[in-house]
Amino acid sequence: MATQALPLVRRRWLPRLRGAGWMAASAVAVLAGLVLVALLAPWLAPQDPDAVSLAESLNGPSAAHPLGTDQAGRDVLSRLIWGARISLLGPLGVVVGATLLGVTVGVVAAWRGGWVDAALSRMIELIFAFPGVLLAILLVAVLGAGLDSTVLALAIAYTPYMARITRGVALSERNRPYIRALELQGFAAWGIALRHLIPNIAPFVLAQASLCFGYAMIDLAGLSFLGFGVQPPRSDWGAMISEGQTALLQGMPLSALAPGAAIVTAVVAFSLLGEGIADHVRKAAR
Amino acid sequence: MAPQRRPDRRESPSPSTPFTTLSGPPQHQPRRYLLPQASVWSRPRRFAATVAVGSLLLAGCGGNPSSGGPSGAARDGGKAIDVTETTPAASGPLDRVTWAVQNEPASFDWIYNASFETGQIMANVCEGLLRLAPDMSLEPALAESVANPTPTTWVYRMRPGVRFHDGTALTAKDVVFSLTRHLDAKAGSFWAGAYANVSSVEETGPLEVTVTLKQPDALFNSYMSSPAGIVESEATVQAKGKAYGTPDGGVNCAGPFSLASWDKGQSITLARDDGYFDPKHRAKAKEVVFSFVRDPAAVVNGMLSGSIDGGWSLPSASLDRLSTGGQGTVYYGPSTQGFNAIVMNADGPLRDVRVRRALSMAIDRQGIIDAVLRGAGQPQRAPAVPGSWGYAKDVYRKAWDDLTITRRDLDAAKRLVREAGAPAEPITVATTTSEAELPVIGAEIQAAAKRIGLTVAIKNIPPDQYNGVYTDKKAREGIDLYLTSWGTDFPDPLQIYQYFQTGNLYNFSGFSDPAFDELMTEAARTGEPETRAELIASAQRIVVDRLIWIPLYTPYNTLFLNKRLSGCPASYVQLHYPWAADLGATA
């Protein structure tokens, strides 16, 4: 049976994003720039990011290497540009995974209530009690190091954050008259949830996902720093910081500072975007 | 066929040559000391003691177009590195020395002494029957003399008047107890392998102990310079029980320093023992404090600010700053350690020796030395490095010079790959980020493989798993090449080649060659140094030709001393020599 959305509630979140403020707009611009850099990496990078040239180890900035070279003689700028791909795709994978799992768990808990809600809530609390990075390290020990393992591990670790907020807003949404009306009309629960409830709680989920993106980026960078994440010769910004550690001691900070600055920029941008969305969602709710 | 055996010097008692090293294949836990990646520059230091050994080491590496210099000064972008066995002699006493160590020792019990940190501290507290001198020769410590009346008998006569730190006299009973403890399987000594051929340890006089072997074992006597030969008070070990060797129980040995305090997680303080038996090595410093500083940057900053007086195995990245910081001097000493890419899986993509040879010929060893060590090392040609040639150096040098398989030749490497056919599966090289040099070396091997048509996949694994490879077969799964520093505890190449014998615990790839085994067995029975060296050189040739280990480089031992300190050796003897006793004020 086809379901029909209620236009009033279904589209109400769209105007909110338009007024998210200049901070959020700046964040969107920065993030768009980073995404563009990642997409255009093959054309923007001046060198092969994986080309090892030990003779050029730890060279300072030059025309050929604007940010110098790392200890293996690789061009830091090129690695930074190519690294943007994995550095952005990794957190995206974490957030998408955590959102899918979290929204499912949250909506099911809110919809079914009773023992299902209690069981799912306890499960969420259990995962909450486990530090995300530790969970990731445990999972990496089982699955082996690599981007896939760390993304999967962090997606699981971030699921409670998404599930908790989803359950909270879904509970109040579940009791709204339009949901009752749809139920009385005989629509299937999954259809109502998919077509009406979830779109209406989407702004909250989006705000949380945006914040999680920044945190996931830091955690993934940390795991890459420890060697659990992306495997050489591919590199992300976290791995680049790890590779640049020894250069710091030699007074050649660029190979570590450049990826560090990129991470800070991206994380701040995502945080501002998340905060902006959250502010507007709260204002609209009032 | 093994070369003809020459007359064995051990067949007649020879008290006049008590420290002849012999051979044998005991096993022990390998020390995995990751030596510093020295970086370097020119320093106009020329000590009288700047050693012939350093020159010989470097000369031994001559002939390879990609190697460093042929003299005692290695090149680094036109700058020279002095390799020295010792630092200038100290001229006066000191009140206190603060030394940096990266990790806290797990135990001070000598039978568990197998870490770099524990070894360098304990060497000043607990003496053994023998010790390694700065020139890496064996010299007497607690033993006044050593005799080898039959190939299977070693007789150690103790110095009279030696006292433990608590003032009690050292007796032959203590020696028997200390040596026998390694034979106790329940105790789980890390050095039990050194006693694999020992049948009995007996008191044969008031200050005399006789060790009887099941079969000739030339390495046994050399092991007496390692923790396998340390002597501790039996009464103390019995009285302390499980607390022995811990921060609460401490130790009671006969070294130039006693263990004054152990502040858990912070530091260990040694105090000078004024009753130390050897006037030549009586400590000049009243107190030596070993601070546990995990972060290399903190160590470097401490050295540059003067709050840390010295340290061994310096991070390579810090050497330029330390040498130009004006607070002290970085010294480079000869070492018995080498850095190798060890074949873990002989059935995988490296099963064809031509592929292994091709990979070896493609690696830019000098590039690694320049980028990772900043020039402070030499390309390596065989698992046993020049620093481990404790005897018959001419034989070993000639054998070394004849080894060309590690010489870089991309065209020949490509030809070999074409002949053998590139393996379908990638060669997996294990690295870990906890050791700064490994990712760079891994990247170079990956790039080298690509240049000749091979594919290398890097597998980054956590530090614990990385070190677990030595003992856990499961940890080796999925690894084709393993990067590690490995060397000998004393200058005898036989020690490292025993790991290639059929069935050896550390023969990870399952290498087996009857001719090699025969040469090693023969070498173990041969006391005459030249003949033994020839046998070992022949065995070495087999190992190198088969490239079970792909030798990469041999780094120098690095040491930083604040400008107010001097006197200790710079060679790689800090684990088996009471080096802190020699530290004193500069002139």
Side-chain angles (χ1 to χ4, degrees):
Chain A
M1 179 187 280
T3 60
Q4 191 173 358
L6 299 179
L8 180 66
V9 287
R10 192 176 162 198
R11 297 198 184 105
R12 71 185 182 190
W13 63 281
L14 288 174
R16 291 173 184 169
L17 289 182
R18 283 202 291 271
W22 68 269
M23 294 276 271
S26 311
V28 169
V30 169
L31 293 173
L34 288 175
V35 170
L36 217 62
V37 166
L39 289 174
L40 300 177
W43 296 277
L44 290 178
Q47 310 276 347
D48 176 355
D50 304 329
V52 172
S53 174
L54 295 177
E56 296 180 276
S57 173
L58 291 178
N59 280 353
S62 65
H65 306 290
L67 293 178
T69 57
D70 66 9
Q71 200 174 11
R74 297 169 295 205
D75 182 54
V76 172
L77 178 61
S78 302
R79 288 179 75 72
L80 194 68
I81 291 170
W82 278 94
R85 289 189 162 195
I86 296 171
S87 302
L88 294 174
L89 271 177
L92 184 67
V94 171
V95 168
V96 168
T99 304
L100 287 175
L101 285 170
V103 168
T104 306
V105 170
V107 169
V108 168
W111 194 276
R112 297 295 299 271
W115 69 267
V116 175
D117 184 23
L120 289 173
S121 297
R122 295 300 84 75
M123 190 186 77
I124 288 168
E125 283 161 13
L126 195 71
I127 301 176
F128 253 131
F130 227 74
V133 172
L134 187 59
L135 185 72
I137 290 172
L138 283 174
L139 210 64
V140 164
V142 176
L143 300 176
L147 188 65
D148 301 347
S149 311
T150 46
V151 165
L152 177 64
L154 285 183
I156 293 169
Y158 276 71
T159 294
Y161 296 96
M162 302 306 298
R164 191 168 62 170
I165 199 149
T166 303
R167 179 184 169 275
V169 290
L171 266 178
S172 72
E173 205 72 16
R174 168 86 176 84
N175 294 321
R176 284 179 178 262
Y178 76 91
I179 297 283
R180 300 253 172 114
L182 288 167
E183 283 182 304
L184 284 173
Q185 287 174 47
F187 288 110
W190 64 269
I192 301 169
L194 275 179
R195 299 207 56 190
H196 303 284
L197 189 145
I198 291 174
N200 284 328
I201 63 171
F204 298 95
V205 174
L206 186 67
Q208 182 67 12
S210 192
L211 287 169
C212 281
F213 195 103
Y215 292 124
M217 181 173 261
I218 292 174
D219 283 347
L220 275 174
L223 289 168
S224 286
F225 180 88
L226 295 171
F228 297 123
V230 61
Q231 297 297 292
R234 296 165 78 202
S235 188
D236 63 4
W237 295 337
M240 283 183 72
I241 295 175
S242 175
E243 290 160 4
Q245 276 184 103
T246 48
L248 282 174
L249 279 175
Q250 289 188 355
M252 305 287 289
L254 266 180
S255 55
L257 284 185
I263 291 173
V264 169
T265 305
V267 170
V268 168
F270 273 110
S271 297
L272 288 176
L273 179 64
E275 290 294 340
I277 296 170
D279 278 352
H280 282 271
V281 169
R282 279 194 291 271
K283 280 178 196 166
R286 281 199 294 269
Chain B
M1 185 175 166
Q4 198 67 36
R5 187 183 170 206
R6 289 186 188 173
D8 190 338
R9 183 183 295 183
R10 293 169 300 165
E11 285 167 1
S12 61
S14 179
S16 59
T17 55
F19 300 109
T20 303
T21 54
L22 305 174
S23 65
Q27 295 176 0
H28 76 112
Q29 293 279 340
R31 289 174 183 244
R32 193 162 169 279
Y33 301 130
L34 290 172
L35 283 174
Q37 303 90 54
S39 102
V40 181
W41 57 97
S42 172
R43 288 195 320 278
R45 292 178 290 106
R46 289 280 189 282
F47 307 132
T50 295
V51 193
V53 166
S55 304
L56 290 173
L57 288 175
L58 295 162
C61 302
N64 184 336
S66 65
S67 73
S71 71
R75 190 182 53 75
D76 175 28
K79 301 173 179 179
I81 297 166
D82 289 334
V83 182
T84 179
E85 286 174 356
T86 59
T87 59
S91 68
L94 280 169
D95 279 339
R96 182 185 165 105
V97 173
T98 305
W99 205 263
V101 288
Q102 200 177 4
N103 297 305
E104 181 171 12
S107 167
F108 245 35
D109 189 331
W110 77 98
I111 68 170
Y112 307 127
N113 172 7
S115 79
F116 188 77
E117 286 77 15
T118 311
Q120 65 177 285
I121 302 171
M122 270 195 89
N124 300 292
V125 180
C126 294
E127 286 262 35
L129 297 177
L130 310 177
R131 64 168 82 101
L132 280 188
D135 66 357
M136 293 204 251
S137 64
L138 294 177
E139 71 173 30
L142 295 174
E144 188 177 51
S145 68
V146 182
N148 189 205
T150 73
T152 54
T153 309
W154 286 95
V155 180
Y156 297 91
R157 179 172 288 280
M158 302 303 122
R159 296 185 198 225
V162 176
R163 294 191 173 274
F164 291 114
H165 295 139
D166 68 353
T168 56
L170 183 146
T171 66
K173 281 191 173 59
D174 294 308
V175 180
V176 171
F177 168 77
S178 299
L179 302 193
T180 309
R181 197 154 167 253
H182 295 282
L183 292 166
D184 180 3
K186 282 184 191 163
S189 166
F190 290 171
W191 295 89
Y195 288 80
N197 293 317
V198 171
S199 62
S200 68
V201 181
E202 290 166 331
E203 180 184 351
T204 47
L207 283 173
E208 186 182 281
V209 169
T210 299
V211 179
T212 308
L213 306 175
K214 297 171 199 162
Q215 60 187 56
D217 181 349
L219 289 184
F220 178 79
N221 189 50
S222 298
Y223 269 117
M224 293 301 101
S225 67
S226 75
I230 283 177
V231 179
E232 165 64 287
S233 157
E234 178 178 6
T236 301
V237 176
Q238 305 291 13
K240 298 283 183 186
K242 285 185 178 173
Y244 176 76
T246 66
D248 298 326
V251 296
N252 178 30
C253 291
F257 289 93
S258 63
L259 177 60
S261 66
W262 186 338
D263 185 3
K264 289 176 204 169
Q266 299 298 318
S267 64
I268 283 174
T269 302
L270 308 185
R272 179 171 65 203
D273 179 17
D274 292 324
Y276 181 60
F277 64 89
D278 187 350
K280 194 179 148 201
H281 292 289
R282 203 155 281 162
K284 295 175 181 68
K286 202 180 277 181
E287 189 178 78
V288 181
V289 180
F290 290 89
S291 289
F292 314 138
V293 192
R294 198 158 177 76
D295 180 15
V299 172
V300 174
N301 290 333
M303 289 171 174
L304 289 173
S305 67
S307 61
I308 293 172
D309 291 317
W312 296 101
S313 299
L314 309 166
S316 63
S318 68
L319 295 175
D320 286 335
R321 284 180 66 204
L322 288 173
S323 62
T324 56
Q327 279 291 340
T329 306
V330 176
Y331 296 94
Y332 302 88
S335 170
T336 58
Q337 306 293 297
F339 196 95
N340 302 274
I342 296 177
V343 176
M344 286 284 168
N345 177 13
D347 299 323
L350 290 171
R351 60 187 164 273
D352 191 322
V353 70
R354 290 172 294 180
V355 174
R356 302 199 290 269
R357 285 180 185 170
L359 187 58
S360 174
M361 292 163 95
I363 296 170
D364 181 2
R365 290 172 173 77
Q366 191 60 47
I368 291 174
I369 290 164
D370 289 340
V372 178
L373 308 184
R374 311 302 287 173
Q378 288 290 308
Q380 193 186 349
R381 299 187 190 184
V385 302
S388 68
W389 305 341
Y391 53 92
K393 288 179 180 173
D394 289 342
V395 175
Y396 286 119
R397 188 174 307 110
K398 185 177 180 314
W400 179 272
D401 288 342
D402 289 344
L403 298 173
T404 56
I405 206 162
T406 55
R407 193 172 289 172
R408 196 166 186 229
D409 188 340
L410 287 180
D411 292 334
K414 284 176 189 167
R415 273 198 304 277
L416 280 170
V417 172
R418 272 199 301 274
E419 279 172 32
E425 65 273 47
I427 300 160
T428 304
V429 178
T431 65
T432 186
T433 53
S434 65
E435 291 162 19
E437 78 276 22
L438 294 191
V440 181
I441 297 170
E444 164 54 21
I445 291 176
Q446 193 168 44
K450 198 176 170 186
R451 284 179 210 123
I452 58 170
L454 297 174
T455 309
V456 160
I458 301 289
K459 185 178 182 184
N460 230 330
I461 51 182
D464 287 348
Q465 262 177 274
Y466 201 80
N467 294 329
V469 158
Y470 287 99
T471 50
D472 183 3
K473 199 175 177 184
K474 205 167 162 45
R476 291 174 218 147
E477 284 175 7
I479 299 174
D480 297 314
L481 265 186
Y482 180 78
L483 305 174
T484 189
S485 175
W486 209 332
T488 60
D489 293 300
F490 36 80
D492 193 335
L494 187 63
Q495 193 194 8
I496 204 149
Y497 289 120
Q498 69 186 350
Y499 303 136
F500 296 84
Q501 285 185 287
T502 304
N504 189 282
L505 182 64
Y506 303 112
N507 184 352
F508 301 126
S509 64
F511 170 73
S512 181
D513 184 322
F516 175 84
D517 291 343
E518 195 180 328
L519 284 166
M520 289 296 290
T521 307
E522 188 65 18
R525 290 178 182 150
T526 306
E528 202 281 313
E530 297 284 324
T531 309
R532 192 159 98 243
E534 280 165 11
L535 289 163
I536 294 169
S538 299
Q540 171 179 273
R541 184 80 209 198
I542 293 173
V543 166
V544 173
D545 283 347
R546 299 288 295 276
L547 277 179
I548 302 304
W549 289 15
I550 299 176
L552 296 178
Y553 62 81
T554 172
Y556 301 135
N557 197 32
T558 51
L559 160 73
F560 175 81
L561 285 183
N562 186 285
K563 58 191 172 189
R564 71 189 186 93
L565 305 179
S566 194
C568 73
S571 54
Y572 186 66
V573 295
Q574 64 265 36
L575 308 175
H576 307 317
Y577 175 85
W579 53 272
D582 295 350
L583 275 178
T586 46

